[in-house]
Amino acid sequence: MSKPAAPLKGRAARLARLMPSTGPSTAARTPFVLLVVLLLGGGLITLLLLNSALNEGSFRLSELKRDTTELTDEQQALQRDVDSRSQPDALERRARELGMVPGGSPAFLDPDGTVLGNPTEATAPPPSPSPNPTPSPRASAGAAPDPDATGASGSASPSGSAPAAESDSATAPAAESTPPPTSPGR
């Protein structure tokens, strides 16, 4: 079958003595291969965990940005509300609703106690005359109102334009006293 190998001579024999046989070399490689596989597996798991943490942070950041946008919108709506209520005409209207009247000419006191100016008591101006509601003939008859006939001609009542004035004065304060919504999305 096969011939036995001839013994090595010279330089080849010396090299053969330095090189270990094939049997023990495979047993020495196994721990090294296991160490490399464990290091690669641990690195991959670490990268996976790091990626998950970054994604979670990204979701939290987008949620916080959305909340910040909503709160900014609400703050701007509230600021518009404050600005609209701080306008001089709105302040005057609210003061009149509370029963306040404009003051007269002011009087001042000097440090020595003398009065400068003519102090006068603030008095309310006479109230504007409000139109007296008059019953319309068709309201007493119980007929259904025709919106085209009353809106176009304005002569549905004996006094001419009294119903239109009543409806305007009745709806105007209600529209002015209702505040605008504080946030558009809620």
Side-chain angles (χ1 to χ4, degrees):
M1 309 201 215
S2 71
K3 293 188 211 173
L8 296 175
K9 297 181 186 174
R11 188 173 190 184
R14 280 181 284 171
L15 284 174
R17 275 185 264 142
L18 291 175
M19 297 289 290
S21 67
T22 58
S25 70
T26 58
R29 281 190 212 159
T30 306
F32 177 72
V33 170
L34 286 175
L35 177 67
V36 169
V37 168
L38 286 175
L39 286 176
L40 286 176
L44 287 175
I45 289 173
T46 305
L47 283 175
L48 216 120
L49 292 175
L50 183 64
N51 193 16
S52 297
L54 287 175
N55 283 339
E56 182 180 339
S58 174
F59 287 134
R60 179 77 176 135
L61 180 65
S62 64
E63 180 182 327
L64 289 175
K65 282 182 180 179
R66 183 179 43 83
D67 290 346
T68 301
T69 303
E70 287 178 5
L71 290 173
T72 302
D73 291 345
E74 185 176 349
Q75 186 260 343
Q76 289 174 350
L78 290 172
Q79 186 63 43
R80 282 192 303 270
D81 189 30
V82 166
D83 291 343
S84 69
R85 291 175 186 245
S86 298
Q87 293 174 351
D89 58 339
L91 288 174
E92 179 185 8
R93 186 186 79 249
R94 181 71 178 134
R96 288 192 190 276
E97 288 173 2
L98 292 173
M100 299 173 83
V101 296
S105 59
F108 301 97
L109 289 177
D110 274 339
D112 61 356
T114 59
V115 178
L116 295 176
N118 186 12
T120 58
E121 182 178 331
T123 58
S128 62
S130 62
N132 291 334
T134 56
S136 64
R138 69 190 143 129
S140 61
D146 184 13
D148 294 332
T150 58
S153 66
S155 62
S157 68
S159 62
S161 65
E166 287 175 18
S167 65
D168 289 344
S169 65
T171 57
E176 292 174 1
S177 64
T178 56
T182 56
S183 65
R186 295 185 184 183

